[in-house]
mmCIF file of all heavy atoms in Angstrom:
data_model
loop_
_atom_site.group_PDB
_atom_site.id
_atom_site.type_symbol
_atom_site.label_atom_id
_atom_site.label_comp_id
_atom_site.label_asym_id
_atom_site.label_seq_id
_atom_site.Cartn_x
_atom_site.Cartn_y
_atom_site.Cartn_z
ATOM 1 N N SER T 1 0.819 -1.217 0.000
ATOM 2 C CA SER T 1 0.000 0.000 0.000
ATOM 3 C C SER T 1 0.850 1.264 0.000
ATOM 4 O O SER T 1 0.583 2.199 -0.765
ATOM 5 C CB SER T 1 -0.933 -0.003 1.214
ATOM 6 O OG SER T 1 -1.843 -1.075 1.134
ATOM 7 N N ILE T 2 1.872 1.312 0.865
ATOM 8 C CA ILE T 2 2.690 2.529 0.878
ATOM 9 C C ILE T 2 3.559 2.616 -0.382
ATOM 10 O O ILE T 2 3.883 3.710 -0.845
ATOM 11 C CB ILE T 2 3.562 2.638 2.148
ATOM 12 C CG1 ILE T 2 4.509 1.449 2.304
ATOM 13 C CG2 ILE T 2 2.685 2.791 3.380
ATOM 14 C CD1 ILE T 2 5.548 1.661 3.399
ATOM 15 N N THR T 3 3.894 1.451 -0.957
ATOM 16 C CA THR T 3 4.628 1.459 -2.224
ATOM 17 C C THR T 3 3.765 2.056 -3.330
ATOM 18 O O THR T 3 4.213 2.914 -4.106
ATOM 19 C CB THR T 3 5.056 0.030 -2.616
ATOM 20 O OG1 THR T 3 5.865 -0.520 -1.568
ATOM 21 C CG2 THR T 3 5.843 0.031 -3.914
ATOM 22 N N LEU T 4 2.505 1.615 -3.384
ATOM 23 C CA LEU T 4 1.584 2.139 -4.396
ATOM 24 C C LEU T 4 1.312 3.630 -4.199
ATOM 25 O O LEU T 4 1.141 4.365 -5.173
ATOM 26 C CB LEU T 4 0.267 1.365 -4.357
ATOM 27 C CG LEU T 4 0.284 -0.043 -4.954
ATOM 28 C CD1 LEU T 4 -1.046 -0.747 -4.703
ATOM 29 C CD2 LEU T 4 0.558 0.026 -6.458
ATOM 30 N N SER T 5 1.262 4.062 -2.947
ATOM 31 C CA SER T 5 0.983 5.480 -2.698
ATOM 32 C C SER T 5 2.052 6.376 -3.310
ATOM 33 O O SER T 5 1.769 7.514 -3.702
ATOM 34 C CB SER T 5 0.869 5.738 -1.187
ATOM 35 O OG SER T 5 2.124 5.633 -0.553
ATOM 36 N N VAL T 6 3.273 5.845 -3.412
ATOM 37 C CA VAL T 6 4.363 6.613 -4.039
ATOM 38 C C VAL T 6 4.318 6.461 -5.555
ATOM 39 O O VAL T 6 4.402 7.450 -6.300
ATOM 40 C CB VAL T 6 5.736 6.154 -3.494
ATOM 41 C CG1 VAL T 6 6.869 6.863 -4.238
ATOM 42 C CG2 VAL T 6 5.824 6.426 -2.002
ATOM 43 N N ILE T 7 4.188 5.214 -6.015
ATOM 44 C CA ILE T 7 4.167 4.954 -7.463
ATOM 45 C C ILE T 7 3.035 5.721 -8.144
ATOM 46 O O ILE T 7 3.200 6.256 -9.248
ATOM 47 C CB ILE T 7 4.018 3.443 -7.732
ATOM 48 C CG1 ILE T 7 5.274 2.700 -7.265
ATOM 49 C CG2 ILE T 7 3.759 3.169 -9.212
ATOM 50 C CD1 ILE T 7 5.159 1.188 -7.359
ATOM 51 N N LEU T 8 1.880 5.780 -7.476
ATOM 52 C CA LEU T 8 0.712 6.449 -8.051
ATOM 53 C C LEU T 8 0.685 7.950 -7.754
ATOM 54 O O LEU T 8 -0.317 8.627 -7.995
ATOM 55 C CB LEU T 8 -0.566 5.788 -7.527
ATOM 56 C CG LEU T 8 -0.724 4.304 -7.897
ATOM 57 C CD1 LEU T 8 -1.936 3.696 -7.201
ATOM 58 C CD2 LEU T 8 -0.846 4.138 -9.412
ATOM 59 N N ASN T 9 1.791 8.447 -7.190
ATOM 60 C CA ASN T 9 1.971 9.878 -6.968
ATOM 61 C C ASN T 9 0.953 10.468 -5.990
ATOM 62 O O ASN T 9 0.559 11.637 -6.106
ATOM 63 C CB ASN T 9 1.910 10.635 -8.297
ATOM 64 C CG ASN T 9 2.674 11.949 -8.232
ATOM 65 O OD1 ASN T 9 3.676 12.060 -7.509
ATOM 66 N ND2 ASN T 9 2.205 12.952 -8.962
ATOM 67 N N VAL T 10 0.532 9.645 -5.021
ATOM 68 C CA VAL T 10 -0.373 10.136 -3.980
ATOM 69 C C VAL T 10 0.422 10.751 -2.837
ATOM 70 O O VAL T 10 0.051 11.790 -2.294
ATOM 71 C CB VAL T 10 -1.269 8.991 -3.460
ATOM 72 C CG1 VAL T 10 -2.167 9.486 -2.330
ATOM 73 C CG2 VAL T 10 -2.112 8.421 -4.592
ATOM 74 N N LEU T 11 1.538 10.088 -2.482
ATOM 75 C CA LEU T 11 2.434 10.596 -1.449
ATOM 76 C C LEU T 11 3.858 10.627 -1.978
ATOM 77 O O LEU T 11 4.211 9.859 -2.883
ATOM 78 C CB LEU T 11 2.395 9.700 -0.194
ATOM 79 C CG LEU T 11 1.073 9.589 0.573
ATOM 80 C CD1 LEU T 11 1.223 8.567 1.702
ATOM 81 C CD2 LEU T 11 0.632 10.937 1.123
ATOM 82 N N LYS T 12 4.667 11.500 -1.396
ATOM 83 C CA LYS T 12 6.085 11.507 -1.720
ATOM 84 C C LYS T 12 6.776 10.401 -0.921
ATOM 85 O O LYS T 12 6.265 9.966 0.115
ATOM 86 C CB LYS T 12 6.686 12.870 -1.369
ATOM 87 C CG LYS T 12 6.101 14.015 -2.187
ATOM 88 C CD LYS T 12 6.646 15.351 -1.718
ATOM 89 C CE LYS T 12 6.020 16.505 -2.520
ATOM 90 N NZ LYS T 12 6.488 17.827 -2.032
ATOM 91 N N PRO T 13 7.936 9.920 -1.378
ATOM 92 C CA PRO T 13 8.617 8.824 -0.666
ATOM 93 C C PRO T 13 8.813 9.096 0.824
ATOM 94 O O PRO T 13 8.558 8.216 1.656
ATOM 95 C CB PRO T 13 9.959 8.719 -1.397
ATOM 96 C CG PRO T 13 9.651 9.183 -2.786
ATOM 97 C CD PRO T 13 8.642 10.274 -2.622
ATOM 98 N N ALA T 14 9.256 10.290 1.160
ATOM 99 C CA ALA T 14 9.487 10.610 2.580
ATOM 100 C C ALA T 14 8.177 10.579 3.374
ATOM 101 O O ALA T 14 8.151 10.167 4.543
ATOM 102 C CB ALA T 14 10.156 11.971 2.713
ATOM 103 N N GLU T 15 7.094 11.019 2.737
ATOM 104 C CA GLU T 15 5.792 11.001 3.406
ATOM 105 C C GLU T 15 5.325 9.563 3.623
ATOM 106 O O GLU T 15 4.803 9.216 4.696
ATOM 107 C CB GLU T 15 4.763 11.759 2.565
ATOM 108 C CG GLU T 15 5.012 13.262 2.495
ATOM 109 C CD GLU T 15 4.058 13.969 1.555
ATOM 110 O OE1 GLU T 15 3.601 13.323 0.564
ATOM 111 O OE2 GLU T 15 3.764 15.161 1.778
ATOM 112 N N ALA T 16 5.504 8.708 2.622
ATOM 113 C CA ALA T 16 5.061 7.318 2.721
ATOM 114 C C ALA T 16 5.807 6.552 3.809
ATOM 115 O O ALA T 16 5.273 5.605 4.389
ATOM 116 C CB ALA T 16 5.253 6.622 1.374
ATOM 117 N N LEU T 17 7.036 6.971 4.080
ATOM 118 C CA LEU T 17 7.848 6.280 5.094
ATOM 119 C C LEU T 17 7.816 6.977 6.446
ATOM 120 O O LEU T 17 8.464 6.516 7.391
ATOM 121 C CB LEU T 17 9.299 6.175 4.604
ATOM 122 C CG LEU T 17 9.514 5.350 3.328
ATOM 123 C CD1 LEU T 17 10.951 5.469 2.855
ATOM 124 C CD2 LEU T 17 9.152 3.887 3.564
ATOM 125 N N SER T 18 7.055 8.044 6.560
ATOM 126 C CA SER T 18 7.059 8.835 7.792
ATOM 127 C C SER T 18 6.514 8.067 8.985
ATOM 128 O O SER T 18 6.880 8.352 10.133
ATOM 129 C CB SER T 18 6.250 10.127 7.592
ATOM 130 O OG SER T 18 4.885 9.830 7.294
ATOM 131 N N GLY T 19 5.636 7.113 8.734
ATOM 132 C CA GLY T 19 5.056 6.338 9.836
ATOM 133 C C GLY T 19 6.087 5.572 10.636
ATOM 134 O O GLY T 19 5.916 5.344 11.842
ATOM 135 N N PHE T 20 7.197 5.196 9.981
ATOM 136 C CA PHE T 20 8.214 4.404 10.673
ATOM 137 C C PHE T 20 9.064 5.245 11.622
ATOM 138 O O PHE T 20 9.844 4.704 12.410
ATOM 139 C CB PHE T 20 9.102 3.688 9.656
ATOM 140 C CG PHE T 20 8.328 2.762 8.767
ATOM 141 C CD1 PHE T 20 8.077 3.084 7.436
ATOM 142 C CD2 PHE T 20 7.807 1.581 9.261
ATOM 143 C CE1 PHE T 20 7.342 2.246 6.625
ATOM 144 C CE2 PHE T 20 7.062 0.735 8.461
ATOM 145 C CZ PHE T 20 6.828 1.060 7.130
ATOM 146 N N ALA T 21 8.921 6.563 11.541
ATOM 147 C CA ALA T 21 9.629 7.451 12.470
ATOM 148 C C ALA T 21 8.764 7.783 13.679
ATOM 149 O O ALA T 21 9.221 8.453 14.602
ATOM 150 C CB ALA T 21 10.033 8.738 11.751
ATOM 151 N N ASP T 22 7.528 7.308 13.676
ATOM 152 C CA ASP T 22 6.609 7.582 14.774
ATOM 153 C C ASP T 22 7.070 6.828 16.021
ATOM 154 O O ASP T 22 7.361 5.634 15.974
ATOM 155 C CB ASP T 22 5.191 7.141 14.379
ATOM 156 C CG ASP T 22 4.136 7.667 15.327
ATOM 157 O OD1 ASP T 22 4.158 7.265 16.496
ATOM 158 O OD2 ASP T 22 3.291 8.464 14.892
ATOM 159 N N THR T 23 7.119 7.515 17.167
ATOM 160 C CA THR T 23 7.583 6.865 18.399
ATOM 161 C C THR T 23 6.681 5.706 18.814
ATOM 162 O O THR T 23 7.133 4.759 19.463
ATOM 163 C CB THR T 23 7.649 7.877 19.559
ATOM 164 O OG1 THR T 23 6.367 8.478 19.742
ATOM 165 C CG2 THR T 23 8.678 8.963 19.267
ATOM 166 N N THR T 24 5.409 5.776 18.429
ATOM 167 C CA THR T 24 4.476 4.701 18.761
ATOM 168 C C THR T 24 4.956 3.365 18.200
ATOM 169 O O THR T 24 4.847 2.324 18.859
ATOM 170 C CB THR T 24 3.080 5.020 18.188
ATOM 171 O OG1 THR T 24 2.619 6.234 18.759
ATOM 172 C CG2 THR T 24 2.104 3.902 18.483
ATOM 173 N N ILE T 25 5.481 3.390 16.990
ATOM 174 C CA ILE T 25 5.923 2.150 16.345
ATOM 175 C C ILE T 25 7.070 1.527 17.130
ATOM 176 O O ILE T 25 7.113 0.304 17.337
ATOM 177 C CB ILE T 25 6.360 2.436 14.889
ATOM 178 C CG1 ILE T 25 5.215 3.107 14.120
ATOM 179 C CG2 ILE T 25 6.801 1.160 14.205
ATOM 180 C CD1 ILE T 25 3.904 2.368 14.177
ATOM 181 N N TRP T 26 7.980 2.350 17.621
ATOM 182 C CA TRP T 26 9.121 1.821 18.363
ATOM 183 C C TRP T 26 8.728 1.386 19.770
ATOM 184 O O TRP T 26 9.361 0.501 20.360
ATOM 185 C CB TRP T 26 10.253 2.844 18.375
ATOM 186 C CG TRP T 26 10.844 2.938 17.000
ATOM 187 C CD1 TRP T 26 10.564 3.869 16.053
ATOM 188 C CD2 TRP T 26 11.739 1.994 16.398
ATOM 189 N NE1 TRP T 26 11.243 3.580 14.889
ATOM 190 C CE2 TRP T 26 11.980 2.437 15.077
ATOM 191 C CE3 TRP T 26 12.370 0.836 16.845
ATOM 192 C CZ2 TRP T 26 12.813 1.754 14.203
ATOM 193 C CZ3 TRP T 26 13.203 0.154 15.975
ATOM 194 C CH2 TRP T 26 13.422 0.613 14.673
ATOM 195 N N LEU T 27 7.657 1.963 20.304
ATOM 196 C CA LEU T 27 7.121 1.462 21.570
ATOM 197 C C LEU T 27 6.615 0.033 21.377
ATOM 198 O O LEU T 27 6.853 -0.848 22.216
ATOM 199 C CB LEU T 27 5.978 2.365 22.054
ATOM 200 C CG LEU T 27 5.175 1.860 23.263
ATOM 201 C CD1 LEU T 27 6.083 1.674 24.481
ATOM 202 C CD2 LEU T 27 4.023 2.805 23.585
ATOM 203 N N ILE T 28 5.940 -0.199 20.266
ATOM 204 C CA ILE T 28 5.401 -1.533 19.991
ATOM 205 C C ILE T 28 6.533 -2.546 19.822
ATOM 206 O O ILE T 28 6.506 -3.642 20.407
ATOM 207 C CB ILE T 28 4.518 -1.490 18.727
ATOM 208 C CG1 ILE T 28 3.266 -0.655 18.993
ATOM 209 C CG2 ILE T 28 4.135 -2.896 18.282
ATOM 210 C CD1 ILE T 28 2.503 -0.275 17.757
ATOM 211 N N VAL T 29 7.543 -2.190 19.030
ATOM 212 C CA VAL T 29 8.674 -3.102 18.815
ATOM 213 C C VAL T 29 9.363 -3.414 20.145
ATOM 214 O O VAL T 29 9.637 -4.577 20.467
ATOM 215 C CB VAL T 29 9.689 -2.495 17.818
ATOM 216 C CG1 VAL T 29 10.951 -3.358 17.759
ATOM 217 C CG2 VAL T 29 9.067 -2.380 16.426
#
């Protein structure tokens, strides 16, 4: 889904990967 969001020009690459910088994700890990 995030790959398609970039390929289809919906989000920029940095925007599509921004979720992985969220502190919530690292709390879960």
Side-chain angles (χ1 to χ4, degrees):
S1 296
I2 59 169
T3 302
L4 285 174
S5 71
V6 175
I7 293 174
L8 298 173
N9 205 32
V10 177
L11 297 175
K12 296 175 182 177
E15 292 175 331
L17 297 173
S18 62
F20 300 107
D22 193 295
T23 57
T24 300
I25 304 307
W26 289 98
L27 171 60
I28 293 166
V29 172

